[in-house]
Amino acid sequence: MEVKEVLLPGVGLRYELDNADGNRVGVIARRSGDFEVVVYAASDPDQARPVFCLTGEEADALAQILGAPRMVERFADLTKEVPGLDAGQVEIGPGSPFVDRPLGETKARTRTGASIVAIVRGEEVLASPGPDEVLRGDDVLVVIGTEDGISGVRRIVDQG
């Protein structure tokens, strides 16, 4: 899919793509940090109809909702294509020694070779969590690695 980027002097940037319905969808990223979503009708590609506006914080939340599940889906697809690579989920139980501690303290990748690519926290998905992300009880780690590596991450968060 082609996404066109158009500079809007004094305003910001506009990103456009054509959807399956034949409409052009635009996202105007304003210099203020706000975003406006617009639709151009197929019958008049020069006339934009505003759909809604988002603050920077709202746009980040929407991007996370739309992007994180797709990212996890892509990792799952990748594991099908690469022999020996698996995706797994590891729950942080309430009794884990890592509850209320940063992810980096697990040293999971160094100890197992497996990578934690996301944290699912209730309805929220934290994609590409950094080492400073504090783990909570009932978090679910999305792990990519070998079967042994994923099992190793499970042992670490359960026992320390």
Side-chain angles (χ1 to χ4, degrees), residues 32-147:
S32 65
D34 292 340
F35 296 83
E36 185 176 354
V37 176
V38 298
V39 174
Y40 301 85
S43 61
D44 187 358
D46 294 325
Q47 182 64 40
R49 180 176 45 91
V51 179
F52 56 85
C53 295
L54 298 169
T55 65
E57 184 179 7
E58 292 164 341
D60 287 345
L62 182 59
Q64 190 168 22
I65 291 166
L66 295 175
R70 299 264 315 180
M71 183 191 76
V72 171
E73 193 176 284
R74 286 185 182 142
F75 280 125
D77 290 344
L78 178 63
T79 63
K80 293 175 189 169
E81 296 174 17
V82 180
L85 188 62
D86 290 315
Q89 298 182 0
V90 175
E91 185 173 347
I92 305 290
S96 169
F98 292 101
V99 170
D100 297 326
R101 292 176 55 196
L103 174 62
E105 286 187 18
T106 66
K107 298 186 181 357
R109 188 173 63 207
T110 302
R111 295 168 65 184
T112 68
S115 295
I116 298 167
V117 298
I119 299 173
V120 180
R121 181 173 290 153
E123 297 296 315
E124 183 180 17
V125 177
L126 306 171
S128 301
D132 295 331
E133 184 65 45
V134 176
L135 298 173
R136 299 181 188 161
D138 297 325
D139 279 354
V140 176
L141 308 179
V142 178
V143 184
I144 301 291
T146 64
E147 191 175 312

